[in-house]
Amino acid sequence: MTLAESAGRESAPLASSGAARVGIGMLASRVLGLVREAVIASLAGASALADVVSAAFRAPNALQNLLGDQALSASFIPVYSRLLSEGRRRDAGALAGAVFGLLFAVMAALSLLGVLLAPWLVRLFFAGFAGDAEAIVAGEAVVDRLALTTRAVRISFPMVAAITLSAWCLGILNSHRRFLLPYIAPCFWNASVIAVVLFVAARVTGGETDRVEELALAACWGGLLGGLLQFAVQLPSVLRATGGLRPSFNLRAPGLRRTLSRLWPAIAGRGAGQLGGYVDGLLASLLAEGAVAVLGWGQRLYLLPISLFGVSVAAAELPELARLDGDEEERSKVAADRAERAAAAMSFLVSPTLVGYLALGLGIVGAVYRRGSFDLHDNWLVFLVLAAYSLGLLASSTSRLLQSVFFSFGDTRSPARIVLVRLVIAAGLGAGLMTVFDRVAVAYLRLPGWLGPAVAEAPDGLRLGAVGLALGSAVGTWFELALLLRGLRRRSAPVRPWRAWGRHLPLAMLCLAPWAATQTLMPGPPWIAGVLPVMGFALTYLVAANALKVPEARALRRWLLETRRRPSP
């Protein structure tokens, strides 16, 4: 049996089962994340409170993403997994302890710097908040977002250390093929934020300014508590998997030098991506009040399928790709075959999501957010942001997988350079489109009636600048995908994701037809008009795919059966 046959027949089922577990964990945490955002939206709408909470979490979360998640996955998991596959468990444990010690020291120092430098960081990345003090004097605003965000960021930064160490736990557990717990652990973070915000909201008695201040700080205190819980629930499993852990600062630990050599390019790549988020936040802060929050709410729904179907498959594939043996040509062939199968599996679920967001997104946004202070006008604006982001959905989800292929080859530099190109394109185009779109208020739109309730008498300040930023981001993701595909072709590992898109997109559009206008016909509250058409569309798509014997539909059925039957490792 050839290596390719062995990978196809033996490794793929295990990775598929792992991807299903990652997807289940991510689904739970992302759904709870949507609940968190819905709670804040219901209390705030597109307002100063929502801007402050979004900004307060964006700054420290960017640092966590920079040093955790993708960076550690790119540098640590391949080296640690290789040591395990070679039977060098003691060396693997020494590497894990050394990475933990260094990561703890670095994150403690950066958290302290974040607290001390918070005023300057907020002024730098949310420069648009600087005019709030004058607006308050002029009677045009009631909340100084600059001052309040500074206080909130000082609370949020210490949680970064705990959440980043959670990413280290994720790397350990994924390498031992334990996928569910590390991806369900963020549920504790989301639940903590929700609980603290609701507890404080029930007891707020002051005026509007006091209310905004107390709720914003409550969200940050909840995040700090949740970060500690997220790390604590994973630690016992890590200790069992490693047979005990000895944190150290041993710079000579086996594999540490190789890990660090891969870490810096990965950090540069993630840094470019996070810089893109900062640039979006900076530009959005220059727009009308609420634009920062609107952009974040649209991103939350847009990232949901990427996390469930893109990151889950990529996370499960990375340890398996790192274990491949053989010469470079043979490994490239197997990696390309695995990546193309995985890309097809992602496309089967991402393609209908793209079609559904574009046609049913108004109802989806309403079902998640539309209650309390979040009204119909906010609903329309977030939907348009979501639709703009969704144009890059297939490219972004596929890129996550292709990055894992590069990481398995020990190449973290190429994805870093490509991400930087994406950033430049997205930021430049987004800034230009933002300027054009910000001239248009939601109140000026004349939208087709079949899309939903007409927008009338919307506040003139509610403008479409955030939609331009989202469109720039979508275009940037397609450039990133094109460059990743070209890089793999040069490595003799060609991947052709468009083959699966050609099967799945037409099927999704045909299955959407009976449900396209139903969100305007459903009686009752917004969540009914949002949920029922989506459920009907999803069921129609799955039934049609199975009836037409689409390969990925049968693969999905096997995934579910294997996940149910296979005991968790």
Side-chain angles (χ1 to χ4, degrees):
M1 181 181 295
T2 67
L3 181 62
E5 291 170 342
S6 175
R9 295 183 185 180
E10 297 174 10
S11 298
L14 181 58
S16 297
S17 178
R21 290 193 181 98
V22 174
I24 291 169
M26 282 193 164
L27 176 62
S29 65
R30 294 292 179 176
V31 167
L32 203 55
L34 285 176
V35 173
R36 184 195 78 230
E37 294 294 327
V39 167
I40 294 173
S42 68
L43 294 172
S47 66
L49 170 58
D51 279 350
V52 169
V53 174
S54 179
F57 284 152
R58 182 185 291 271
N61 280 353
L63 180 59
Q64 178 258 324
N65 289 332
L66 185 64
L67 291 177
D69 295 346
Q70 289 289 315
L72 279 178
S73 295
S75 58
F76 175 59
I77 290 180
V79 178
Y80 185 80
S81 296
R82 174 63 65 175
L83 291 174
L84 290 177
S85 69
E86 293 172 354
R88 300 166 60 185
R89 297 186 66 87
R90 179 172 296 180
D91 288 345
L95 172 62
V99 171
F100 178 90
L102 292 174
L103 194 61
F104 181 86
V106 169
M107 292 310 305
L110 290 178
S111 295
L112 178 60
L113 282 175
V115 172
L116 296 176
L117 300 178
W120 293 275
L121 291 174
V122 174
R123 281 185 176 273
L124 176 62
F125 293 113
F126 299 96
F129 292 177
D132 284 9
E134 295 180 3
I136 291 173
V137 173
E140 299 173 354
V142 295
V143 177
D144 186 343
R145 291 176 295 173
L146 182 69
L148 183 54
T149 302
T150 299
R151 294 177 59 190
V153 166
R154 282 178 164 156
I155 299 171
S156 297
F157 252 106
M159 85 177 178
V160 179
I163 295 180
T164 304
L165 292 175
S166 296
W168 170 85
C169 292
L170 180 149
I172 296 286
L173 295 175
N174 278 8
S175 297
H176 287 272
R177 293 168 174 156
R178 301 182 183 183
F179 296 103
L180 181 59
L181 177 61
Y183 285 99
I184 208 169
C187 288
F188 290 89
W189 186 83
N190 286 311
S192 179
V193 174
I194 293 169
V196 175
V197 167
L198 290 178
F199 178 82
V200 172
R203 288 160 176 77
V204 171
T205 58
E208 178 64 16
T209 303
D210 292 338
R211 177 178 177 274
V212 170
E213 179 177 324
E214 291 186 37
L215 290 176
L217 298 182
C220 295
W221 283 114
L224 176 57
L225 174 62
L228 296 172
L229 290 173
Q230 183 177 335
F231 172 65
V233 297
Q234 297 179 77
L235 189 57
S237 294
V238 169
L239 295 177
R240 286 194 298 271
T242 57
L245 178 70
R246 294 183 179 179
S248 71
F249 297 101
N250 180 13
L251 299 180
R252 297 182 179 179
L256 182 62
R257 183 172 298 178
R258 201 174 355 150
T259 298
L260 294 179
S261 68
R262 296 177 177 183
L263 180 63
W264 305 124
I267 288 177
R270 292 302 292 170
Q274 291 306 312
L275 183 59
Y278 276 132
V279 170
D280 283 350
L282 171 61
L283 294 174
S285 73
L286 300 173
L287 300 173
E289 184 179 282
V292 174
V294 165
L295 202 67
W297 288 329
Q299 281 179 340
R300 173 67 58 180
L301 287 169
Y302 161 70
L303 291 174
L304 180 61
I306 294 175
S307 299
L308 294 181
F309 313 135
V311 176
S312 61
V313 174
E317 284 292 324
L318 181 56
E320 304 304 322
L321 290 169
R323 287 182 168 93
L324 292 177
D325 296 317
D327 58 33
E328 184 175 350
E329 181 179 352
E330 198 172 15
R331 290 182 67 228
S332 295
K333 182 179 185 303
V334 176
D337 289 343
R338 291 188 68 107
E340 193 154 330
R341 289 197 304 271
M346 284 193 300
S347 170
F348 179 68
L349 298 171
V350 173
S351 294
T353 305
L354 164 61
V355 172
Y357 273 170
L358 293 177
L360 305 176
L362 180 67
I364 294 171
V365 172
V368 175
Y369 296 122
R370 193 171 154 197
R371 57 188 57 84
S373 298
F374 191 98
D375 61 16
L376 178 61
H377 311 122
D378 301 324
N379 194 159
W380 268 106
L381 184 53
V382 175
F383 161 59
L384 294 173
V385 170
L386 173 62
Y389 271 128
S390 296
L391 296 176
L393 196 54
L394 285 171
S396 185
S397 58
T398 306
S399 294
R400 301 297 178 103
L401 173 66
L402 300 186
Q403 287 172 357
S404 288
V405 180
F406 279 95
F407 296 160
S408 72
F409 293 148
D411 181 2
T412 55
R413 297 179 183 275
S414 296
R417 289 194 294 266
I418 291 170
V419 168
L420 184 60
V421 173
R422 184 198 76 192
L423 166 64
V424 172
I425 293 172
L429 185 59
L433 291 174
M434 175 193 81
T435 303
V436 174
F437 278 65
D438 204 46
R439 298 171 185 169
V440 182
V442 175
Y444 302 160
L445 297 180
R446 295 293 182 266
L447 297 159
W450 67 268
L451 281 175
V455 175
E457 300 181 359
D460 186 65
L462 206 59
R463 294 178 173 267
L464 303 184
V467 179
L469 288 174
L471 282 173
S473 176
V475 173
T477 60
W478 284 102
F479 276 93
E480 179 185 21
L481 176 61
L483 293 174
L484 288 170
L485 290 171
R486 186 179 69 173
L488 289 177
R489 284 198 302 272
R490 290 177 175 176
R491 287 181 171 272
S492 300
V495 180
R496 296 167 288 272
W498 52 85
R499 292 180 173 180
W501 300 343
R503 292 194 302 272
H504 303 145
L505 281 172
L507 177 61
M509 288 187 280
L510 286 173
C511 294
L512 174 72
W515 304 97
T518 54
Q519 60 185 328
T520 64
L521 304 176
M522 294 289 180
W527 70 267
I528 293 180
V531 171
L532 292 184
V534 170
M535 292 177 62
F537 168 48
L539 182 60
T540 304
Y541 178 77
L542 293 174
V543 170
N546 277 278
L548 295 173
K549 298 182 179 180
V550 174
E552 290 76 27
R554 291 178 293 180
L556 177 62
R557 190 166 59 248
R558 287 198 302 272
W559 283 17
L560 297 175
L561 291 174
E562 288 169 4
T563 303
R564 185 177 63 182
R565 294 171 181 172
R566 187 190 301 269
S568 181

